[in-house]
Amino acid sequence: MINIILMALAPIFFVLLLGYFAGKYHVVDNTHVGSLNTVVMSYAIPASLFVATAVTPAQAMLAQWPVLVILGSAMMLLYPLWYLLQRRALRRSASEAALQALTVSLPNYAAAGLSVAIALLGPGHVVPVAVAIAAGSLLPSPVTLALLELSVVKQNGSALMRGARAMGRALIKPIVLAPVIGTLFSLLSVTLSPIAIASFRQIGQAAGGLALFVTGLILSAQHFRLSWNVALATIVANIFQPLLAFLIAHLLGAPTAAMKVSVMMAALPSGFFGILFGSGYGQASEESGSTVIASTVVSMFTLALAIAWLYG
């Protein structure tokens, strides 16, 4: 079991630290990462999401509905609660509150989920990971993008119209469209040619590693500050969210296998989408970066405990 846990976690921390020290010692420029961020968010991750969902048989995709409901419910319960806490109690701006809410509610499915699932369950069990990534891309991510759009784009019209336009722009982002189109391909049994699959995988296979590297690169330019807000965010992301997923699975009467994989995915450390989205909109969030660092370090213990509890 210890070897399995190490195989699941060691690659994540290795690549993250690789990017962090590359930026810290100025091997790679950590102040102008816009181009790398575009490669990750507009090409690599969307290609990975599309091919992962599109090649999944329709029956296998439909069988994962408990995972979608459990993880989607957990994320969308935490997101507004954390957003309102930041806005009302701490008086954060809408964009800062949105980035923090996304960081807390969206685990690191895109980079960490795949390696953990393969290490634990084998290479044939990646469909739940694709479903988890799709849920994160379709639920909290568009809301965050819409709030960021509203914060940087000056528009005329009512708040409702401005919100609708911002949501429309968010929904056409590649990272949102890719899993939607891939899921439709799966459900409609549209078969991709081997050439198309190989082509998307060629760029998509860089998604996890490059995303972790860029995250480390961005974090190297930020100061880590362990405030009470960061500490609470880490507790919510690493401990409360997997327990919430377990409760939802119990109330749903989900099969044991779906419950286990959902809780494991919810126990992953905080994801990097908040950092990368913020970077793309020129909205650096020190507390989001500090939360990712703290959550990732703490996950060495909490995720290991979750894996031992679920699969030990």
Side-chain angles (χ1 to χ4, degrees):
M1 178 55 65
I2 293 177
N3 185 57
I4 292 175
I5 293 173
L6 288 175
M7 285 294 294
L9 300 182
I12 298 170
F13 293 105
F14 172 76
V15 180
L16 192 65
L17 288 172
L18 202 64
Y20 181 85
F21 286 115
K24 198 70 173 177
Y25 293 103
H26 307 292
V27 177
V28 180
D29 185 5
N30 63 358
T31 57
H32 301 90
V33 296
S35 296
L36 281 175
N37 190 34
T38 300
V39 173
V40 172
M41 303 304 289
S42 297
Y43 293 94
I45 290 180
S48 177
L49 294 179
F50 172 71
V51 76
T53 49
V55 302
T56 301
Q59 191 168 1
M61 183 67 75
L62 291 172
Q64 298 300 322
W65 72 266
V67 177
L68 179 65
V69 173
I70 294 166
L71 294 178
S73 299
M75 286 186 291
M76 296 314 291
L77 283 171
L78 285 180
Y79 188 99
L81 291 175
W82 197 261
Y83 179 83
L84 290 174
L85 173 66
Q86 301 303 307
R87 288 285 283 160
R88 301 291 174 83
L90 301 180
R91 305 297 181 184
R92 309 293 192 198
S93 66
S95 57
E96 173 69 19
L99 292 174
Q100 289 194 39
L102 184 66
T103 301
V104 170
S105 64
L106 180 57
N108 199 351
Y109 301 139
L114 193 61
S115 60
V116 170
I118 290 175
L120 284 175
L121 307 175
H125 295 79
V126 297
V127 179
V129 182
V131 170
I133 295 172
S137 298
L138 296 173
L139 295 172
S141 294
V143 176
T144 305
L145 288 169
L147 290 168
L148 289 171
E149 287 277 356
L150 283 173
S151 70
V152 300
V153 178
K154 302 299 181 183
Q155 305 177 65
N156 297 319
S158 66
L160 181 61
M161 288 299 297
R162 289 186 289 113
R165 285 195 291 264
M167 181 62 78
R169 281 193 295 272
L171 290 174
I172 61 173
K173 299 286 186 183
I175 200 165
V176 177
L177 279 180
V180 173
I181 297 173
T183 301
L184 288 176
F185 273 41
S186 170
L187 297 178
L188 296 174
S189 299
V190 176
T191 303
L192 290 176
S193 70
I195 295 176
I197 293 173
S199 299
F200 280 106
R201 280 181 173 163
Q202 186 66 30
I203 179 65
Q205 66 187 359
L210 186 58
L212 281 171
F213 186 89
V214 173
T215 301
L217 200 61
I218 293 171
L219 291 177
S220 71
Q222 300 183 4
H223 295 290
F224 175 73
R225 189 169 62 89
L226 185 59
S227 64
W228 73 265
N229 194 37
V230 171
L232 181 59
T234 302
I235 292 170
V236 170
N238 288 46
I239 299 174
F240 181 73
Q241 187 164 13
L243 292 177
L244 178 60
F246 177 76
L247 177 61
I248 294 170
H250 178 71
L251 294 175
L252 190 65
T256 301
M259 179 276 293
K260 286 185 175 183
V261 76
S262 297
V263 174
M264 180 191 71
M265 298 297 285
L268 293 169
S270 293
F272 50 78
F273 275 23
I275 295 173
L276 298 186
F277 283 174
S279 176
Y281 282 86
Q283 302 279 334
S285 171
E286 182 180 285
E287 289 206 325
S288 292
S290 297
T291 299
V292 172
I293 294 173
S295 176
T296 302
V297 172
V298 172
S299 73
M300 288 190 290
F301 306 99
T302 56
L303 183 54
L305 287 173
I307 291 172
W309 170 44
L310 295 167
Y311 296 98

